[in-house]
Amino acid sequence: MSSSWGQRIRISIFGGSHTAAIGVNIDGLPAGEAIDWEKILAQMARRAPGQDPTATTRREADEPKVLCGLLEGVTTGAPLCAIIENTNQRSKDYSQLKFLPRPGHADYTAFVKYKGCNDVRGGGHFSGRLTAPLVFAGAVARQLLERRGILAAAHVSSVAGVKDQAFHPEGPAPELMRRLSQTYFPVIDPAAQDAMRGEIERARMARDSVGGTVECALTGMPVGVGNPMFGGVENLIASLVFGIPAVKGIEFGAGFGAAELRGSENNDPMYVDAAGKVQARNNRAGGVLGGISNGMPVIFRVAFKPTPSISQEQDTVDLRTHANGKLTVTGRHDPCIVPRAAAVVEAAACVAALELLAQSGML
Ligand SMILES: Cc1cc2nc3c(=O)[nH]c(=O)nc-3n(C[C@H](O)[C@H](O)[C@H](O)COP(=O)(O)O)c2cc1C
């Protein structure tokens, strides 16, 4: 297995849901960057389980412990390694999954690929819990970006078809971004959150789950970040975002909707503003042209499937006998992962943006 990403800012995520700890090693950070620990903890808390009826009841403090790379709150330039201890495991919930794979989860594919040696407890290395170290890395990256005028924020843009307002294509206001990026289950319109909660609760009562989408914006990205053909802004963000379990799609700007527009509708008209800056009206490009940032906010949406572990009886196979079987998943699972995943998408955007800046010689 390899769970490493990046060329200049390299992250390597390790551990499993029920191992002693999970963590991340971050290589390539510049020295001399002050890291505000309270801000790190605030981001970790946004993703942590057990704090809301829409999430799993597994409670974890998710307090990271830095092993190296930070001295008196400042990056030393050496690899920054942090661990998060797992303190609330119930491994017996998973004993049957070794041979009765959950439909929709990675149990079957991992069993074949790793010859049955993979750790199935809590989903092992495939668990949503592995997004905690990603949020840690994102919380570090975010502080370097903010110092350079780049902000990231995401909101839950839909759950089970209930939609929040969308970001203004020309970018959300900084106050809105600050509110969203400090909130658990961030939404623009509080009424939408009530309706989403209703859908999640209905699914939970039916021993089912629901999916949804997260919309994320990065503002302040300078023009010229990103490279064609494979090192573009979209490429790097998408490759990190697809590392988040349960992600099934991503679209930038007008995205799939662009396929239904004419060129005259889809092109963003350009103009020079009063300060002499080249701007675009509207932002169907999502801030990216030719893989390179055009100075407009980078806006993208991510689709999450419904949580695979549901407690209804489902058809599966018995990998010992190769016979058809039945499975009823027990254990603690999120009826909807999307409220917690917003912080994870933001973190992925921050790590990708820092890597893009580094690759473009702007860090
Ligand atoms: C924050 C977060 C929490 C998750 N919690 C659960 C969970 O409680 N139960 C579950 O079956 N899957 C959960 N998942 C999703 C699975 O980890 C994921 O569907 C599985 O590893 C298969 O990978 P894939 O969906 O990307 O193909 C979670 C994902 C995230 C991002």
Side-chain angles (χ1 to χ4, degrees):
M1 281 189 206
S2 169
S3 293
S4 298
W5 181 95
Q7 291 172 8
R8 298 285 306 276
I9 305 293
R10 289 175 301 279
I11 61 167
S12 189
I13 290 181
F14 52 85
S17 184
H18 292 200
T19 55
I22 52 179
V24 60
N25 190 58
I26 315 171
D27 261 350
L29 288 173
E33 297 282 344
I35 301 298
D36 181 331
W37 196 245
E38 290 306 314
K39 288 186 178 170
I40 300 272
L41 294 182
Q43 289 306 318
M44 299 302 291
R46 291 178 68 211
R47 194 222 65 94
Q51 56 182 311
D52 191 90
T54 59
T56 166
T57 53
R58 174 174 171 167
R59 276 193 171 275
E60 291 277 9
D62 279 0
E63 190 156 339
K65 195 185 282 178
V66 169
L67 302 184
C68 51
L70 263 188
L71 190 60
E72 291 164 2
V74 177
T75 56
T76 61
L80 197 169
C81 184
I83 59 166
I84 301 145
E85 284 171 5
N86 288 323
T87 56
N88 189 350
Q89 309 100 303
R90 277 195 211 154
S91 299
K92 67 172 172 30
D93 288 337
Y94 293 89
S95 45
Q96 60 170 345
L97 300 181
K98 182 127 189 150
F99 305 108
L100 289 174
R102 284 168 291 179
H105 214 291
D107 304 330
Y108 170 64
T109 50
F111 179 89
V112 174
K113 186 169 175 70
Y114 302 110
K115 307 180 186 95
C117 299
N118 57 299
D119 184 357
V120 291
R121 300 167 304 158
H125 195 65
F126 297 89
S127 168
R129 183 141 181 75
L130 272 288
T131 57
L134 180 57
V135 169
F136 176 86
V140 171
R142 180 193 298 269
Q143 298 191 30
L144 275 67
L145 294 173
E146 281 182 5
R147 213 161 277 146
R148 291 156 179 83
I150 298 171
L151 298 181
H155 66 115
V156 176
S157 41
S158 73
V159 163
V162 176
K163 291 189 171 53
D164 189 18
Q165 279 168 33
F167 278 144
H168 190 284
E170 290 173 30
E175 313 81 69
L176 174 63
M177 294 185 80
R178 257 187 288 278
R179 170 169 79 75
L180 296 174
S181 63
Q182 289 167 5
T183 314
Y184 178 83
F185 200 158
V187 288
I188 300 173
D189 173 10
Q193 195 196 69
D194 291 342
M196 291 174 185
R197 284 183 179 278
E199 290 298 330
I200 298 170
E201 183 55 18
R202 262 189 290 285
R204 197 179 66 79
M205 297 298 283
R207 298 162 69 184
D208 215 332
S209 61
V210 284
T213 58
V214 170
E215 185 179 45
C216 185
L218 276 168
T219 60
M221 283 279 269
V223 185
V225 173
N227 294 293
M229 293 169 50
F230 307 113
V233 173
E234 291 146 317
N235 305 59
L236 266 63
I237 291 177
S239 76
L240 254 187
V241 162
F242 274 116
I244 303 172
V247 168
K248 293 309 277 185
I250 184 166
E251 59 176 5
F252 289 80
F256 275 69
E260 276 139 43
L261 300 176
R262 292 194 164 200
S264 55
E265 298 166 317
N266 188 57
N267 294 344
D268 300 320
M270 299 173 74
Y271 68 100
V272 178
D273 71 10
K277 197 175 160 208
V278 175
Q279 300 271 20
R281 279 195 193 91
N282 212 314
N283 184 15
R284 293 178 195 95
V288 194
L289 291 167
I292 301 166
S293 60
N294 66 354
M296 297 297 288
V298 175
I299 298 184
F300 61 95
R301 282 168 299 284
V302 179
F304 284 87
K305 71 186 195 185
T307 319
S309 296
I310 53 173
S311 59
Q312 291 178 17
E313 188 179 72
Q314 299 175 83
D315 288 339
T316 186
V317 291
D318 189 320
L319 296 170
R320 289 163 298 193
T321 59
H322 263 254
N324 293 323
K326 297 278 182 196
L327 173 72
T328 304
V329 178
T330 55
R332 299 163 292 175
H333 299 280
D334 299 78
C336 181
I337 62 176
V338 188
R340 294 173 62 208
V344 184
V345 170
E346 249 175 69
C350 289
V351 173
L354 197 67
E355 168 74 357
L356 283 158
L357 284 190
Q359 284 190 13
S360 300
M362 297 187 194
L363 187 61

